[in-house]
Each structure stands twice: as structure tokens, then as C-alpha cells.
Amino acid sequence: MSETVTVNELATHDSALEPTATGERADLLEALAKHRHFLRFTTRDLTDEQAGRRTTASQLCLGGLIKHVTAVERAWAQFVLDGPSAMPDFTAMTEADWARRADEFRMLPGETLTGVLADYAEAARRTDELVATLPDLDATQPLPKAPWSQPGARWSARRVLMHIVTETAQHAGHADIIRESLDGAKTMG
């Protein structure tokens, strides 16, 4: 049976950490919270079937976008702690690896929107805790091997966190288009 996720249920997934973070850290947490809200809000009042429906020419669906942003946030947060070993060597990935990665953009059999949102809330909580407690935002790690990474490049924790904010905001925009195509609902306006 397909569940419908309501706006009230979405509110329970807010990762509002009550940090003692101030300044830059508070700004990062606020930006993350804002864009996470917009992304989650696109799924309000949807059934699991609707969350898995493709509504545009792309392969994207709302549930899949949430899954992808969850995976990206989780991986990059782990990268801050463990460096490139937290991520795959994208230059060595096989077709099967890429096919498995593509599954994070889809709602798979047995997955529910409620479950996907709960997983996202947990990843967000852990990232928020990292932002609030990380000893040094200037600490750097070498980027993982990937065709899109410049060889030898390093990113600071700050840059990684800004990347998470950017990725979340970008996909919140994608989600808004998908939702509007699904049933005319808009996140804003």
C-alpha cells in the first residue's frame, strides 16, 4: 500500500540541530537547513508511487533525488573525516558500478518515501553534528580520483560543506520542476 507523506510528517524530519555554532558554522547550518527544507517540501502529500514517478525527460524522480542527495551528503561528510578513501575511485568504476550508482536516482521496489526521508534526516543530523563539532574548517583532504577532479587538488572541510549546500540547492530546483510536472504543485509561489 502506498503511503502519503504530509507536511507535518516532513517537519519531523527537520534536522534542526540546536548547536552552539556561531558565525560561519551557524551560516552553513542555516543554509543547509533552508535547502534541505525546500527539497523535502517538494514531496509533501505524495504517495510512494508518485515519489517514484518520472515526470520529465530525465531519469529523475523525487524519491530518487532525495536518495541521491542523501548519498552525496553522507559521502562528502565522511570525506571530511577520512579523505578520499571515503569515496570510490571514479576512474576505475565498471559499468556495473555505474548501474548501481544509478539506482540512487530511483525509488526501488520496497522503498518508501517515508523511509527515504528518514534516511535523509539521519544523514543531515550527522552532517550538522560534524559542522558544529569539526575542529578546523580549513583542514584539507586530497580529492578522490574522478574524471572531473583536477589531479592533486585538495578541498578544505569548508569547501566540502559549501559543495553539500550547492548540491542540495541544485537538486531542490530539479525537484521543484519534477513536482510541478507531476501535479502542478510548487515549492514557492
Side-chain angles (χ1 to χ4, degrees):
M1 180 174 188
S2 189
E3 297 179 30
T4 299
V5 177
T6 66
V7 174
N8 288 338
E9 289 171 313
L10 287 175
T12 66
H13 292 290
D14 280 339
S15 61
L17 183 67
E18 295 178 18
T20 56
T22 58
E24 178 181 22
R25 291 170 193 263
D27 290 345
L28 286 165
L29 290 170
E30 183 179 334
L32 275 169
K34 173 185 169 184
H35 295 300
R36 286 175 184 145
H37 165 75
F38 284 128
L39 178 59
R40 287 188 315 267
F41 191 66
T42 62
T43 67
R44 71 197 176 280
D45 303 323
L46 292 181
T47 64
D48 296 332
E49 186 274 326
Q50 289 171 311
R53 190 179 306 157
R54 290 177 39 218
T55 63
T56 65
S58 81
Q59 295 293 316
L60 301 176
C61 67
L62 292 171
L65 275 175
I66 302 275
K67 284 176 55 179
H68 171 68
V69 172
T70 301
V72 165
E73 183 167 327
R74 192 173 276 139
W76 280 108
Q78 199 61 47
F79 169 85
V80 167
L81 298 171
D82 298 333
S85 66
M87 297 196 178
D89 175 348
F90 291 98
T91 64
M93 287 178 61
T94 65
E95 283 187 41
D97 294 330
W98 287 110
R100 278 189 297 281
R101 184 170 163 82
D103 283 346
E104 75 183 34
F105 291 95
R106 293 189 273 277
M107 292 279 289
L108 301 176
E111 291 180 330
T112 65
L113 181 56
T114 299
V116 168
L117 288 168
D119 194 36
Y120 185 38
E122 177 57 21
R125 183 197 63 74
R126 292 180 76 190
T127 302
D128 288 353
E129 185 177 291
L130 178 66
V131 171
T133 62
L134 194 65
D136 184 5
L137 294 178
D138 290 322
T140 66
Q141 298 278 12
L143 287 178
K145 289 183 182 180
W148 49 85
S149 294
Q150 186 174 7
R154 298 179 68 88
W155 277 13
S156 67
R158 174 183 298 101
R159 184 160 179 189
V160 169
L161 295 168
M162 290 187 309
H163 177 72
I164 293 170
V165 170
T166 302
E167 180 95 6
T168 305
Q170 177 182 12
H171 288 309
H174 295 147
D176 202 35
I177 292 166
I178 292 168
R179 179 62 191 259
E180 189 172 359
S181 298
L182 178 66
D183 63 3
K186 298 177 185 176
T187 301
M188 299 172 69

